[in-house]
Amino acid sequence: MMRTTTATTRTRADDAVELLDRADASDVERGTRGRGEDGWTTREGDDDDDDDDEARKERSAKSRTFVASNGVQCAMLRPRALRESRRAVQAWAELGVIMFLFWFCDRSGAVREAKKSYDRDLLFAVFALLGTYGWKTTLKESKTHAPLHREQTEEMKGWMQVLFLLYHYFDAGEMYNLIRVFIAAYVWMTGFGNFSFYYVKKDFSAVRFAQMMWRLNFFVFVTCAVMKNDYMLYYICPMHTLFTLLVYGALAIARDKNSEPKWIYGKFIACFAIVAAVWEIPGAFKRIFTPFTFLFRYVNPAKPDVHPLHEWQFRSGLDRYVWIYGMACAYFHPKYELTMKWIDERSTTRERMMYQGGVVALASGALYWWWVTFFTLDKVEYNKYHPYTSWIPITAFFVLRNSTKKLRENHIELFCICGKVTLETYIAQFHIWLSTSQMPNAQPKMLMSLVPGYPLLNLMVCSYIYIGISHRIFDVTNVLKSACIPSKADNATLANNAIFGGIVVATALGLGTFTSLMFTGKT
């Protein structure tokens, strides 16, 4: 069934690769070179594909030796080693500066706080102005007219993230149900994008896996260590990590059978059954995750009597099924693409508009029914239905967004730029845009105030700093990823890099703790 649409499947997979691994997309798709110019893990000439196997083995051994020795020499401030590893050294140093800014703004007490104040008109005015500016100045033609292409999904992530951040900044409680749908859409993309990559590229290597885990967790782990916060405070990260692992496992097991539809259907059913057993059977979730309490525990200081795994069960349970739906959408995407192409190629405008009108009417009707039936419920009631109904607005939006060729062939680049740093803006907002009032594991109930008494000016100034730092975090973590997990690394290289990186991080954390004690008397 899928063999007849190989070309369209490959197109979709290429988009997914770029979506999943933006900074090194070209390297991942070609499967060739890491960024050897960093000098941290590879040497000049490592991407020569004409070498024989013996030469490659020798080069790999030298590279591993080079990694350890060069890292030590950098720590000893040897000029040659510093020059060879300048990009990685600069990235580590910049990461340290960013962590200091997090601590200074949110823990030192030197930066003032302000109370949140909800203003619906101001919130939507900010979003409308941003959208209008983006549409007027950054509307661009997409690289492909296929539905759900990379620019389109990045655009969607971008405008959702803007509203998500404004929801936090203004404490817009009435938007709760809408934000739940946005988070479900992110999880849907996790299933869609990862399935597209692994199904077509069939790259289940340790390097690819390590790169994905780095992207999802490296920065949040460093932030947790520096800020003394639990991993679950930034719940988006563990949630996406879990569902990424499940997609990986579903396709990695019996991977040679992935070309057979009956096996794919069987895997979908198995995933659904596993999720239902874990989250629907009373007590099953806690029995399974209790051994991992050290990782998934979270107790809000404002609610100390809650079970440590309650937050993890609640957050992961809300979107427990939608990632499976994302995988199914990725599998059937070629058929959907062919259907839209068939509609676009109708011989007369009247016939084409008839089909497009039917698609729009069907999607709009389903969206309206969901809106009046579920969306208007209060948040406690809505949460009961969300795991089983979130796929409806997601599907309706994508169908409407791709209903005509004109809609598919354009995107707003400004929102695409926002969509590339969703992980970074999500984590950074806790410490350099909002404020947790110097309390570990606290929710950011206050605002960072750099211009007291001028809330609009403060919003502009803090947002400028916050967005700039978020983009630097994106660049820094990708440089470090390329340095520590090059695309052609073997398992021994990954192990050496992990050990050396652990030593570097542990040393940095020790120095940070000592500095904190010196200046504040607290760790």
Side-chain angles (χ1 to χ4, degrees):
M1 177 170 58
M2 294 298 291
R3 295 188 183 97
T4 61
T5 56
T6 303
T8 54
T9 305
R10 287 175 180 168
T11 300
R12 177 200 58 194
D14 292 339
D15 287 342
V17 174
E18 290 184 56
L19 173 64
L20 290 170
D21 203 6
R22 293 180 292 271
D24 293 322
S26 58
D27 292 344
V28 173
E29 292 182 42
R30 287 193 296 269
T32 54
R33 56 184 178 275
R35 296 183 180 176
E37 66 271 18
D38 291 342
W40 197 262
T41 52
T42 56
R43 304 186 69 171
E44 185 177 354
D46 277 1
D47 58 348
D48 186 0
D49 293 329
D50 297 328
D51 291 350
D52 56 26
D53 292 340
E54 184 176 348
R56 288 175 181 172
K57 292 178 181 179
E58 180 181 356
R59 185 180 64 249
S60 178
K62 290 180 179 179
S63 177
R64 291 195 297 271
T65 303
F66 176 77
V67 171
S69 62
N70 211 44
V72 173
Q73 290 179 37
C74 284
M76 297 174 65
L77 303 181
R78 298 288 176 83
R80 181 179 178 181
L82 291 172
R83 285 195 301 270
E84 291 175 339
S85 305
R86 62 187 180 279
R87 290 193 65 206
V89 172
Q90 289 170 356
W92 282 114
E94 190 170 353
L95 179 64
V97 172
I98 291 170
M99 289 296 100
F100 172 78
L101 287 175
F102 277 21
W103 173 85
F104 180 79
C105 292
D106 195 37
R107 289 287 194 272
S108 69
V111 178
R112 294 184 181 182
E113 296 178 339
K115 292 183 178 180
K116 295 182 180 181
S117 177
Y118 179 47
D119 187 328
R120 181 193 297 169
D121 293 340
L122 179 59
L123 187 156
F124 286 106
V126 171
F127 181 73
L129 287 172
L130 187 64
T132 302
Y133 173 79
W135 178 61
K136 285 291 186 180
T137 62
T138 66
L139 185 66
K140 293 185 178 181
E141 185 175 353
S142 303
K143 296 178 182 178
T144 176
H145 299 163
L148 297 174
H149 54 74
R150 180 203 171 197
E151 289 93 346
Q152 187 183 115
T153 52
E154 292 282 17
E155 176 196 75
M156 182 183 178
K157 287 169 62 181
W159 64 258
M160 287 195 307
Q161 185 71 357
V162 170
L163 282 173
F164 183 63
L165 295 173
L166 291 175
Y167 161 78
H168 281 164
Y169 192 90
F170 288 97
D171 195 20
E174 66 176 358
M175 292 175 58
Y176 177 87
N177 293 355
L178 182 62
I179 298 304
R180 293 271 67 81
V181 176
F182 289 174
I183 295 174
Y186 286 127
V187 175
W188 180 92
M189 290 181 193
T190 295
F192 182 88
N194 281 286
F195 183 94
S196 297
F197 177 85
Y198 291 120
Y199 181 78
V200 177
K201 296 298 181 180
K202 301 177 176 63
D203 181 4
F204 299 94
S205 64
V207 171
R208 171 64 192 181
F209 180 81
Q211 288 176 339
M212 180 59 68
M213 292 299 104
W214 178 286
R215 168 68 186 148
L216 290 171
N217 292 296
F218 169 73
F219 184 68
V220 70
F221 279 168
V222 173
T223 303
C224 287
V226 172
M227 305 303 291
K228 307 296 182 183
N229 288 332
D230 289 338
Y231 183 38
M232 267 304 300
L233 178 66
Y234 316 92
Y235 68 89
I236 293 292
C237 299
M239 192 167 67
H240 282 280
T241 299
L242 172 66
F243 296 133
T244 296
L245 290 172
L246 291 175
V247 175
Y248 179 89
L251 291 179
I253 297 173
R255 65 191 69 174
D256 56 322
K257 302 292 186 180
N258 287 341
S259 59
E260 301 179 27
K262 64 180 181 181
W263 276 86
I264 292 296
Y265 298 150
K267 290 184 177 186
F268 289 162
I269 294 172
C271 288
F272 185 88
I274 291 172
V275 168
V278 173
W279 275 272
E280 306 289 356
I281 298 177
F285 183 91
K286 288 182 180 177
R287 283 197 295 270
I288 292 171
F289 284 100
T290 293
F292 306 100
T293 300
F294 70 96
L295 184 62
F296 297 113
R297 72 181 305 277
Y298 174 73
V299 177
N300 187 341
K303 302 175 181 178
D305 298 329
V306 176
H307 190 281
L309 289 177
H310 170 78
E311 186 76 3
W312 174 230
Q313 184 173 9
F314 172 70
R315 297 294 185 181
S316 61
L318 283 172
D319 301 306
R320 57 186 179 269
Y321 292 113
V322 74
W323 65 275
I324 304 174
Y325 180 62
M327 291 200 301
C329 289
Y331 184 69
F332 291 108
H333 179 273
K335 292 185 178 295
Y336 173 53
E337 183 178 343
L338 289 177
T339 301
M340 299 311 297
K341 184 178 180 181
W342 179 84
I343 293 176
D344 292 338
E345 293 174 348
R346 292 305 84 204
S347 57
T348 65
T349 302
R350 179 180 179 181
E351 184 181 7
R352 183 171 61 254
M353 292 184 66
M354 181 182 69
Y355 284 112
Q356 291 173 345
V359 169
V360 170
L362 183 63
S364 300
L367 184 61
Y368 177 77
W369 174 80
W370 169 83
W371 181 284
V372 299
T373 306
F374 301 107
F375 186 77
T376 53
L377 298 172
D378 68 85
K379 68 177 188 179
V380 175
E381 283 299 311
Y382 175 79
N383 284 339
K384 296 178 181 178
Y385 298 100
H386 176 80
Y388 315 104
T389 62
S390 62
W391 64 274
I392 299 174
I394 294 172
T395 306
F397 173 81
F398 281 131
V399 169
L400 293 172
R401 179 67 175 82
N402 293 279
S403 57
T404 69
K405 185 177 180 180
K406 186 67 175 178
L407 288 173
R408 296 195 300 273
E409 66 185 8
N410 294 294
H411 66 278
I412 298 176
E413 183 66 20
L414 178 62
F415 285 136
C416 292
I417 295 172
C418 296
K420 291 178 180 179
V421 292
T422 52
L423 182 66
E424 290 75 18
T425 53
Y426 171 73
I427 297 172
Q429 66 170 325
F430 283 76
H431 309 296
I432 53 172
W433 202 47
L434 309 177
S435 174
T436 60
S437 302
Q438 306 177 46
M439 186 176 297
N441 282 331
Q443 294 293 323
K445 296 295 185 181
M446 304 291 285
L447 304 177
M448 185 172 74
S449 179
L450 298 180
V451 191
Y454 297 89
L456 286 179
L457 184 58
N458 185 70
L459 171 62
M460 290 189 287
V461 172
C462 292
S463 297
Y464 180 80
I465 297 171
Y466 162 62
I467 293 170
I469 291 177
S470 295
H471 279 276
R472 289 309 305 153
I473 294 169
F474 175 81
D475 292 336
V476 164
T477 53
N478 275 294
V479 168
L480 293 177
K481 182 185 70 174
S482 298
C484 298
I485 315 175
S487 296
K488 294 187 69 175
D490 55 23
N491 292 340
T493 300
L494 293 179
N496 286 343
N497 287 4
I499 294 172
F500 184 76
I503 294 173
V504 171
V505 172
T507 302
L509 291 176
L511 291 174
T513 301
F514 176 76
T515 303
S516 179
L517 282 170
M518 289 288 292
F519 284 96
T520 67
K522 302 177 183 179
T523 60

